[in-house]
Amino acid sequence: DPDSLIFVKAGVEQNQNIPVLTNYQQYSSAKYFLNLESIKDSFGIVFSQSFHPDWALTLKTVDDKKIKIKNHAESNGFQNFWWIDVAELEQTGIHKNTSDGTYDFQIILEFMPQKYFYIGLFISAFTLIGCLGYLGYDFYKTRTNKKIAPLQ
């Protein structure tokens, strides 16, 4: 839920120049989408899920450029924290996209091991279907080649 996110900005009064969260969507317990607007300065995001180094935060710009944020640390002994440095982002070539000179981003928070789990699950299901198909085919071939009477 949106209460699991805290936006932090150094050296300003509370809620002053903090990015505006316009949309929050939880795709699963391991993937979240956020839309932030009116970003002027660097800020931090505290995410209240148990800290794990494999949580990833990716910014998606208006021109569909994806930037992975690597400034990930533990906060308050258990939370995930990312510092988003606007000066570093400007060096990647992103463009201010609003008339007031601010940035708008979509943020994707994702727990990467969950993605690997889904890949493994797909491979396992495909293998199971293949094995069952082979066993069914083999059973059918064996019965037709030996001309065994059908079961009654």
Side-chain angles (χ1 to χ4, degrees):
D1 88 68
D3 295 333
S4 65
L5 295 166
I6 301 169
F7 298 100
V8 180
K9 185 148 174 36
V12 295
E13 295 295 320
Q14 185 174 358
N15 295 331
Q16 183 182 11
N17 293 329
I18 300 294
V20 177
L21 177 64
T22 58
N23 189 19
Y24 174 93
Q25 183 179 12
Q26 182 176 352
Y27 180 72
S28 69
S29 62
K31 192 168 190 174
Y32 301 82
F33 294 95
L34 317 164
N35 289 335
L36 296 179
E37 294 180 355
S38 303
I39 300 168
K40 293 181 181 179
D41 299 313
S42 300
F43 65 98
I45 294 179
V46 177
F47 182 52
S48 295
Q49 288 281 351
S50 296
F51 175 79
H52 195 283
D54 287 335
W55 274 102
L57 186 143
T58 305
L59 292 179
K60 185 177 175 186
T61 63
V62 174
D63 54 354
D64 286 335
K65 187 173 188 178
K66 291 186 178 181
I67 304 164
K68 185 171 179 172
I69 303 300
K70 299 186 191 283
N71 299 332
H72 182 214
E74 187 173 352
S75 174
N76 300 324
F78 75 96
Q79 297 170 319
N80 293 280
F81 175 80
W82 288 271
W83 182 254
I84 298 176
D85 189 353
V86 172
E88 281 183 24
L89 294 177
E90 288 173 346
Q91 292 175 0
T92 65
I94 65 166
H95 303 288
K96 293 181 180 178
N97 58 333
T98 57
S99 60
D100 61 355
T102 61
Y103 298 98
D104 295 343
F105 295 120
Q106 180 181 48
I107 291 181
I108 303 164
L109 283 168
E110 186 171 20
F111 190 56
M112 297 310 288
Q114 189 71 25
K115 183 185 278 187
Y116 306 139
F117 169 76
Y118 290 140
I119 292 169
L121 186 64
F122 173 76
I123 292 169
S124 297
F126 185 74
T127 303
L128 178 64
I129 291 169
C131 288
L132 291 175
Y134 175 75
L135 289 173
Y137 172 77
D138 186 54
F139 179 75
Y140 173 76
K141 274 305 232 185
T142 302
R143 292 192 60 77
T144 56
N145 285 345
K146 292 185 178 180
K147 300 196 188 306
I148 300 174
L151 296 174
Q152 295 181 14

